[in-house]
Amino acid sequence: MTQIFGYHTPHTILLATDSLALCPDARGGWERKTVRKIVPLSPSVFMLSGGYGLGLALSHQFAAAVRSQGLWDVENIFPKALPFARAQAPLLHQQMGTFSRPGDADMDRYYILLAGISLRTNPPSAHWMLLGAESHEASIERIPLGSSLAIPRHLGFEVRVSRLSGSAQDLETVKKLMEDLLRHRAQQSQDAAPPFFLLQMDANGIQERQLP
């Protein structure tokens, strides 16, 4: 119930996402809704959620906690994410306990991606971290990441970007590939929907663009 593509180099992160999420409805069931999945944590860090709506709720709660503690950099925010998610996910699950489980096991999964630029290095360095759970009842875990990300898995994308060197020309190639794959996914499946967003993080900060 989502589509996210990502590409990581030592100094740049590219991310593309749709806006579809699975959320509880007023009748105690589930509905597909278009929502904003991008949650800023600070000028240099944000979260991106995917799948079951628990991930988005956790992102907003973590963002509120980060702001209340005055945290803003990668070094202070990233280590707190997994302990916070493990503590808060069961409480959110209880709050959503009156709702039936999604019928499809794939829809029961949720993911939270943290992405940020560290300004403590010279030049600034790019960092990302993926958290995920197989269901809203399962423990949330850290998922190892390489230089590419696709949720759900997309081997074609992963293989193509694994051959790139991270040059400026390669970044433009990846942007175009992400945009094309998002549109194709939305045309071929009900599990992705516009609006689509492209984010780039580098020494210039976070740049967000809504795809036309």
Side-chain angles (χ1 to χ4, degrees):
M1 187 48 56
T2 196
Q3 186 65 70
I4 298 172
F5 294 107
Y7 180 60
H8 180 283
T9 76
H11 306 294
T12 303
I13 292 174
L14 296 178
L15 289 166
T17 181
D18 76 324
S19 297
L20 192 64
L22 187 67
C23 302
D25 63 22
R27 300 179 301 277
W30 298 90
E31 63 179 341
R32 291 174 167 85
K33 294 178 63 176
T34 54
V35 298
R36 180 174 174 80
K37 302 177 183 180
I38 306 160
V39 180
L41 302 183
S42 77
S44 58
V45 182
F46 69 86
M47 300 181 83
L48 181 60
S49 67
Y52 168 60
L54 183 61
L56 184 59
L58 272 173
S59 297
H60 283 293
Q61 283 197 356
F62 185 60
V66 164
R67 296 182 192 117
S68 70
Q69 296 174 46
L71 306 178
W72 65 274
D73 59 1
V74 166
E75 288 78 8
N76 285 314
I77 292 175
F78 273 44
K80 294 182 178 294
L82 183 56
F84 181 92
R86 284 178 170 168
Q88 295 300 316
L91 301 178
L92 280 172
H93 175 220
Q94 290 178 3
Q95 294 174 17
M96 296 180 172
T98 57
F99 298 94
S100 61
R101 290 169 60 94
D104 188 333
D106 288 341
M107 294 183 181
D108 210 13
R109 297 178 182 141
Y110 65 93
Y111 304 91
I112 299 171
L113 177 71
L114 284 86
I117 295 293
S118 172
L119 303 179
R120 298 188 185 184
T121 60
N122 186 22
S125 53
H127 303 266
W128 64 3
M129 179 171 68
L130 181 64
L131 310 179
E134 286 295 314
S135 75
H136 59 290
E137 296 173 340
S139 174
I140 188 167
E141 304 290 344
R142 182 170 182 173
I143 302 171
L145 283 176
S147 61
S148 66
L149 165 71
I151 301 174
R153 294 292 303 274
H154 192 294
L155 291 180
F157 171 78
E158 295 171 35
V159 169
R160 288 179 67 177
V161 300
S162 70
R163 299 170 178 163
L164 302 179
S165 64
S167 67
Q169 182 177 353
D170 285 344
L171 294 178
E172 293 305 314
T173 298
V174 174
K175 290 178 188 178
K176 181 63 166 61
L177 177 60
M178 288 176 169
E179 181 175 349
D180 291 345
L181 290 176
L182 274 178
R183 296 189 188 285
H184 182 265
R185 171 78 167 167
Q187 293 170 356
Q188 300 295 321
S189 168
Q190 296 183 342
D191 292 338
F196 305 124
F197 294 93
L198 179 67
L199 299 108
Q200 179 168 337
M201 305 187 70
D202 53 30
N204 297 316
I206 303 171
Q207 302 101 52
E208 176 185 322
R209 178 168 64 91
Q210 182 172 335
L211 301 178

PDB file of all heavy atoms in Angstrom, residues 13 18-19 23 31 43 56 70 77-78 96 109-110 145 148 174 179 202 204:
ATOM      1  N   ILE A  13      20.924  12.158  -1.028  1.00  0.00           N
ATOM      2  CA  ILE A  13      19.853  11.162  -0.991  1.00  0.00           C
ATOM      3  C   ILE A  13      18.741  11.637  -1.913  1.00  0.00           C
ATOM      4  O   ILE A  13      18.318  12.794  -1.848  1.00  0.00           O
ATOM      5  CB  ILE A  13      19.288  10.973   0.432  1.00  0.00           C
ATOM      6  CG1 ILE A  13      20.339  10.327   1.345  1.00  0.00           C
ATOM      7  CG2 ILE A  13      18.022  10.111   0.408  1.00  0.00           C
ATOM      8  CD1 ILE A  13      19.903  10.235   2.794  1.00  0.00           C
ATOM      9  N   ASP A  18       4.751   8.021  -3.493  1.00  0.00           N
ATOM     10  CA  ASP A  18       3.372   8.322  -3.826  1.00  0.00           C
ATOM     11  C   ASP A  18       2.686   8.848  -2.570  1.00  0.00           C
ATOM     12  O   ASP A  18       3.340   9.186  -1.579  1.00  0.00           O
ATOM     13  CB  ASP A  18       2.672   7.079  -4.373  1.00  0.00           C
ATOM     14  CG  ASP A  18       2.319   6.087  -3.283  1.00  0.00           C
ATOM     15  OD1 ASP A  18       3.108   5.948  -2.312  1.00  0.00           O
ATOM     16  OD2 ASP A  18       1.263   5.451  -3.372  1.00  0.00           O
ATOM     17  N   SER A  19       1.348   8.905  -2.586  1.00  0.00           N
ATOM     18  CA  SER A  19       0.613   9.475  -1.451  1.00  0.00           C
ATOM     19  C   SER A  19      -0.503   8.576  -0.945  1.00  0.00           C
ATOM     20  O   SER A  19      -1.408   9.034  -0.248  1.00  0.00           O
ATOM     21  CB  SER A  19       0.018  10.838  -1.843  1.00  0.00           C
ATOM     22  OG  SER A  19       1.028  11.756  -2.153  1.00  0.00           O
ATOM     23  N   CYS A  23      -5.712   3.362   5.868  1.00  0.00           N
ATOM     24  CA  CYS A  23      -6.074   4.007   7.131  1.00  0.00           C
ATOM     25  C   CYS A  23      -7.421   3.499   7.629  1.00  0.00           C
ATOM     26  O   CYS A  23      -8.281   3.088   6.838  1.00  0.00           O
ATOM     27  CB  CYS A  23      -6.151   5.524   6.944  1.00  0.00           C
ATOM     28  SG  CYS A  23      -4.628   6.280   6.352  1.00  0.00           S
ATOM     29  N   GLU A  31      -9.662   1.907   4.637  1.00  0.00           N
ATOM     30  CA  GLU A  31      -9.850   2.568   3.359  1.00  0.00           C
ATOM     31  C   GLU A  31      -8.527   3.091   2.833  1.00  0.00           C
ATOM     32  O   GLU A  31      -7.620   3.418   3.603  1.00  0.00           O
ATOM     33  CB  GLU A  31     -10.843   3.724   3.486  1.00  0.00           C
ATOM     34  CG  GLU A  31     -10.398   4.835   4.417  1.00  0.00           C
ATOM     35  CD  GLU A  31     -11.397   5.966   4.482  1.00  0.00           C
ATOM     36  OE1 GLU A  31     -12.228   6.070   3.565  1.00  0.00           O
ATOM     37  OE2 GLU A  31     -11.352   6.748   5.448  1.00  0.00           O
ATOM     38  N   PRO A  43      15.332  21.058   9.960  1.00  0.00           N
ATOM     39  CA  PRO A  43      15.735  21.505   8.624  1.00  0.00           C
ATOM     40  C   PRO A  43      16.628  20.516   7.869  1.00  0.00           C
ATOM     41  O   PRO A  43      16.754  20.622   6.654  1.00  0.00           O
ATOM     42  CB  PRO A  43      16.494  22.811   8.916  1.00  0.00           C
ATOM     43  CG  PRO A  43      15.908  23.313  10.188  1.00  0.00           C
ATOM     44  CD  PRO A  43      15.637  22.066  10.998  1.00  0.00           C
ATOM     45  N   LEU A  56       2.664   6.111   9.670  1.00  0.00           N
ATOM     46  CA  LEU A  56       2.487   7.554   9.594  1.00  0.00           C
ATOM     47  C   LEU A  56       2.184   8.141  10.967  1.00  0.00           C
ATOM     48  O   LEU A  56       2.719   9.195  11.329  1.00  0.00           O
ATOM     49  CB  LEU A  56       1.366   7.890   8.613  1.00  0.00           C
ATOM     50  CG  LEU A  56       1.117   9.373   8.358  1.00  0.00           C
ATOM     51  CD1 LEU A  56       2.362  10.050   7.808  1.00  0.00           C
ATOM     52  CD2 LEU A  56      -0.056   9.553   7.392  1.00  0.00           C
ATOM     53  N   GLY A  70      14.050  19.677  21.342  1.00  0.00           N
ATOM     54  CA  GLY A  70      14.968  20.600  20.695  1.00  0.00           C
ATOM     55  C   GLY A  70      16.050  19.933  19.875  1.00  0.00           C
ATOM     56  O   GLY A  70      17.119  20.512  19.669  1.00  0.00           O
ATOM     57  N   ILE A  77      19.120  12.627  16.476  1.00  0.00           N
ATOM     58  CA  ILE A  77      17.779  12.137  16.152  1.00  0.00           C
ATOM     59  C   ILE A  77      17.770  10.644  15.819  1.00  0.00           C
ATOM     60  O   ILE A  77      16.937   9.881  16.334  1.00  0.00           O
ATOM     61  CB  ILE A  77      17.179  12.949  14.987  1.00  0.00           C
ATOM     62  CG1 ILE A  77      16.908  14.392  15.434  1.00  0.00           C
ATOM     63  CG2 ILE A  77      15.884  12.298  14.478  1.00  0.00           C
ATOM     64  CD1 ILE A  77      16.433  15.303  14.313  1.00  0.00           C
ATOM     65  N   PHE A  78      18.689  10.206  14.977  1.00  0.00           N
ATOM     66  CA  PHE A  78      18.649   8.826  14.502  1.00  0.00           C
ATOM     67  C   PHE A  78      18.691   7.793  15.639  1.00  0.00           C
ATOM     68  O   PHE A  78      17.906   6.835  15.619  1.00  0.00           O
ATOM     69  CB  PHE A  78      19.791   8.570  13.514  1.00  0.00           C
ATOM     70  CG  PHE A  78      19.474   8.917  12.092  1.00  0.00           C
ATOM     71  CD1 PHE A  78      18.811  10.100  11.775  1.00  0.00           C
ATOM     72  CD2 PHE A  78      19.840   8.084  11.050  1.00  0.00           C
ATOM     73  CE1 PHE A  78      18.511  10.430  10.457  1.00  0.00           C
ATOM     74  CE2 PHE A  78      19.547   8.395   9.725  1.00  0.00           C
ATOM     75  CZ  PHE A  78      18.888   9.574   9.432  1.00  0.00           C
ATOM     76  N   MET A  96      -5.784   1.518  17.987  1.00  0.00           N
ATOM     77  CA  MET A  96      -6.423   1.080  16.748  1.00  0.00           C
ATOM     78  C   MET A  96      -7.031  -0.312  16.885  1.00  0.00           C
ATOM     79  O   MET A  96      -7.480  -0.892  15.902  1.00  0.00           O
ATOM     80  CB  MET A  96      -5.402   1.076  15.604  1.00  0.00           C
ATOM     81  CG  MET A  96      -4.855   2.434  15.258  1.00  0.00           C
ATOM     82  SD  MET A  96      -3.646   2.334  13.897  1.00  0.00           S
ATOM     83  CE  MET A  96      -3.372   4.072  13.559  1.00  0.00           C
ATOM     84  N   ARG A 109       1.893  -4.577   6.721  1.00  0.00           N
ATOM     85  CA  ARG A 109       3.259  -4.136   6.960  1.00  0.00           C
ATOM     86  C   ARG A 109       3.327  -2.616   6.984  1.00  0.00           C
ATOM     87  O   ARG A 109       2.542  -1.940   6.335  1.00  0.00           O
ATOM     88  CB  ARG A 109       4.181  -4.652   5.858  1.00  0.00           C
ATOM     89  CG  ARG A 109       4.272  -6.158   5.796  1.00  0.00           C
ATOM     90  CD  ARG A 109       5.162  -6.588   4.650  1.00  0.00           C
ATOM     91  NE  ARG A 109       5.217  -8.041   4.546  1.00  0.00           N
ATOM     92  CZ  ARG A 109       5.231  -8.718   3.407  1.00  0.00           C
ATOM     93  NH1 ARG A 109       5.199  -8.059   2.261  1.00  0.00           N
ATOM     94  NH2 ARG A 109       5.281 -10.030   3.393  1.00  0.00           N
ATOM     95  N   TYR A 110       4.307  -2.110   7.717  1.00  0.00           N
ATOM     96  CA  TYR A 110       4.537  -0.669   7.668  1.00  0.00           C
ATOM     97  C   TYR A 110       6.028  -0.388   7.782  1.00  0.00           C
ATOM     98  O   TYR A 110       6.796  -1.188   8.311  1.00  0.00           O
ATOM     99  CB  TYR A 110       3.745   0.072   8.751  1.00  0.00           C
ATOM    100  CG  TYR A 110       4.131  -0.233  10.174  1.00  0.00           C
ATOM    101  CD1 TYR A 110       5.072   0.547  10.850  1.00  0.00           C
ATOM    102  CD2 TYR A 110       3.549  -1.303  10.865  1.00  0.00           C
ATOM    103  CE1 TYR A 110       5.421   0.266  12.162  1.00  0.00           C
ATOM    104  CE2 TYR A 110       3.891  -1.580  12.177  1.00  0.00           C
ATOM    105  CZ  TYR A 110       4.827  -0.791  12.822  1.00  0.00           C
ATOM    106  OH  TYR A 110       5.180  -1.066  14.126  1.00  0.00           O
ATOM    107  N   LEU A 145      20.239  -1.278   4.876  1.00  0.00           N
ATOM    108  CA  LEU A 145      20.103  -0.591   3.595  1.00  0.00           C
ATOM    109  C   LEU A 145      21.453  -0.511   2.894  1.00  0.00           C
ATOM    110  O   LEU A 145      22.490  -0.376   3.537  1.00  0.00           O
ATOM    111  CB  LEU A 145      19.572   0.829   3.800  1.00  0.00           C
ATOM    112  CG  LEU A 145      18.085   1.003   4.098  1.00  0.00           C
ATOM    113  CD1 LEU A 145      17.794   2.477   4.372  1.00  0.00           C
ATOM    114  CD2 LEU A 145      17.242   0.501   2.943  1.00  0.00           C
ATOM    115  N   SER A 148      20.472   1.645  -2.512  1.00  0.00           N
ATOM    116  CA  SER A 148      19.166   1.825  -3.143  1.00  0.00           C
ATOM    117  C   SER A 148      18.066   1.269  -2.245  1.00  0.00           C
ATOM    118  O   SER A 148      18.311   0.444  -1.358  1.00  0.00           O
ATOM    119  CB  SER A 148      19.121   1.130  -4.512  1.00  0.00           C
ATOM    120  OG  SER A 148      19.227  -0.280  -4.369  1.00  0.00           O
ATOM    121  N   VAL A 174      18.574   8.843 -12.211  1.00  0.00           N
ATOM    122  CA  VAL A 174      17.764   8.208 -11.179  1.00  0.00           C
ATOM    123  C   VAL A 174      16.446   8.954 -10.982  1.00  0.00           C
ATOM    124  O   VAL A 174      15.389   8.337 -10.822  1.00  0.00           O
ATOM    125  CB  VAL A 174      18.539   8.128  -9.851  1.00  0.00           C
ATOM    126  CG1 VAL A 174      17.646   7.601  -8.741  1.00  0.00           C
ATOM    127  CG2 VAL A 174      19.752   7.229 -10.009  1.00  0.00           C
ATOM    128  N   GLU A 179      10.581   8.758 -11.389  1.00  0.00           N
ATOM    129  CA  GLU A 179       9.329   9.364 -11.857  1.00  0.00           C
ATOM    130  C   GLU A 179       8.581   8.414 -12.787  1.00  0.00           C
ATOM    131  O   GLU A 179       7.366   8.212 -12.645  1.00  0.00           O
ATOM    132  CB  GLU A 179       9.631  10.677 -12.577  1.00  0.00           C
ATOM    133  CG  GLU A 179       8.390  11.392 -13.068  1.00  0.00           C
ATOM    134  CD  GLU A 179       8.698  12.759 -13.666  1.00  0.00           C
ATOM    135  OE1 GLU A 179       9.845  13.233 -13.508  1.00  0.00           O
ATOM    136  OE2 GLU A 179       7.786  13.341 -14.290  1.00  0.00           O
ATOM    137  N   ASP A 202      20.994  17.212   0.219  1.00  0.00           N
ATOM    138  CA  ASP A 202      22.432  17.360   0.007  1.00  0.00           C
ATOM    139  C   ASP A 202      22.909  18.552   0.829  1.00  0.00           C
ATOM    140  O   ASP A 202      22.206  19.001   1.745  1.00  0.00           O
ATOM    141  CB  ASP A 202      22.758  17.518  -1.486  1.00  0.00           C
ATOM    142  CG  ASP A 202      21.951  18.628  -2.158  1.00  0.00           C
ATOM    143  OD1 ASP A 202      21.596  19.620  -1.464  1.00  0.00           O
ATOM    144  OD2 ASP A 202      21.695  18.526  -3.366  1.00  0.00           O
ATOM    145  N   ASN A 204      22.867  21.523   0.255  1.00  0.00           N
ATOM    146  CA  ASN A 204      21.957  22.666   0.130  1.00  0.00           C
ATOM    147  C   ASN A 204      20.678  22.496   0.935  1.00  0.00           C
ATOM    148  O   ASN A 204      19.794  23.346   0.882  1.00  0.00           O
ATOM    149  CB  ASN A 204      21.613  22.908  -1.343  1.00  0.00           C
ATOM    150  CG  ASN A 204      22.829  23.285  -2.161  1.00  0.00           C
ATOM    151  OD1 ASN A 204      23.645  24.094  -1.728  1.00  0.00           O
ATOM    152  ND2 ASN A 204      22.962  22.688  -3.338  1.00  0.00           N
TER     153      ASN A 204
END
